[in-house]
Amino acid sequence: MATFLQPAIAITALLLLQLFPLPTMAASFAFITDEEGEPLLNGGTYYIIPQRTADGGGLTVAQKPQTSACPLFIAQEKDGSSNGHPFKLTSPISSKYLPFGPTEFYVIDDTTTCTKPLAWRLTTDNATGHIYVAAGTTESLGPSAFSITVPFNYVQPDEYQIFHCDNVLCKLAGIFENGLLGMNHDVKLAFRFRKAFTQTSQVM
């Protein structure tokens, strides 16, 4: 029986190599990819585009109503044609491309007076209990540990979910009714990454 299986396995392998060359296959499974199917550079700058939302564009930075200028809150752009604001994505893992695992997000902004580096961190709204994503806090803390994953009900290529885990449970990132990004597990929102600039890797 093994004699009959060997030719079939060889033919299947050849077809896979023709359709998906080895670098493409490796990138698809080992690294996070942008909307063009190319691996994200570790330390690269990208727009983050929510998928299948009723309206709105990419993620941007905004001030939360009735709060001070800092921190900056991460929100969805109201203009559906806007890419939003560029963000830098890095991994503590030494790799040219961005692997699955812990990911740090940073706001690219040279004009703000908020505390730098502008790393994404979680902040809780005491009035509502909502957990929002903000940057430029006055706390001398490092970035919150987010991760990127393929959606459980994976349908479209190059779409991902962003989540955060604490000591108790993991929550997915989503958009609240006020347009702010937070840990809203009920939304199950997917995101795509779009090149913001000509990319050069910052990790060797």
Side-chain angles (χ1 to χ4, degrees):
M1 185 173 181
T3 305
F4 293 102
L5 287 176
Q6 287 174 355
I9 294 172
I11 292 171
T12 302
L14 286 172
L15 287 174
L16 285 172
L17 287 174
Q18 289 177 352
L19 293 173
F20 306 101
L22 282 176
T24 303
M25 291 180 69
S28 298
F29 291 104
F31 304 109
I32 299 158
T33 53
D34 63 21
E35 62 181 1
E36 298 175 356
E38 298 181 2
L40 269 61
L41 286 176
N42 190 355
T45 305
Y46 297 88
Y47 297 112
I48 304 175
I49 314 295
Q51 299 298 298
R52 293 184 292 281
T53 55
D55 49 26
L59 296 185
T60 186
V61 293
Q63 291 180 337
K64 189 168 174 283
Q66 300 177 345
T67 62
S68 60
C70 298
L72 300 171
F73 285 82
I74 311 304
Q76 184 177 19
E77 181 68 57
K78 293 181 179 179
D79 181 0
S81 63
S82 173
N83 287 326
H85 193 91
F87 297 93
K88 177 181 176 181
L89 280 64
T90 66
S91 169
I93 300 172
S94 181
S95 170
K96 178 179 179 179
Y97 299 112
L98 193 71
F100 289 93
T103 306
E104 299 170 1
F105 294 79
Y106 293 89
V107 177
I108 304 297
D109 191 338
D110 295 328
T111 62
T112 182
T113 58
C114 296
T115 305
K116 295 182 177 67
L118 299 173
W120 283 21
R121 286 200 58 80
L122 298 182
T123 180
T124 302
D125 186 321
N126 294 328
T128 63
H130 291 167
I131 302 175
Y132 294 116
V133 180
T137 63
T138 56
E139 302 173 358
S140 57
L141 299 172
S144 293
F146 294 90
S147 292
I148 300 172
T149 185
V150 174
F152 178 75
N153 54 341
Y154 181 72
V155 178
Q156 298 296 328
D158 310 314
E159 287 189 359
Y160 300 92
Q161 288 177 318
I162 300 171
F163 69 96
H164 175 270
C165 296
D166 56 24
N167 294 329
V168 180
L169 50 80
C170 297
K171 292 185 178 181
L172 294 171
I175 305 296
F176 285 100
E177 292 180 357
N178 57 7
L180 298 182
L181 180 72
M183 308 319 292
N184 189 353
H185 189 79
D186 296 332
V187 176
K188 296 181 174 60
L189 193 62
F191 300 87
R192 282 193 175 189
F193 300 99
R194 181 173 297 165
K195 293 186 184 71
F197 310 112
T198 301
Q199 303 290 326
T200 55
S201 175
Q202 299 182 16
V203 177
M204 299 301 293

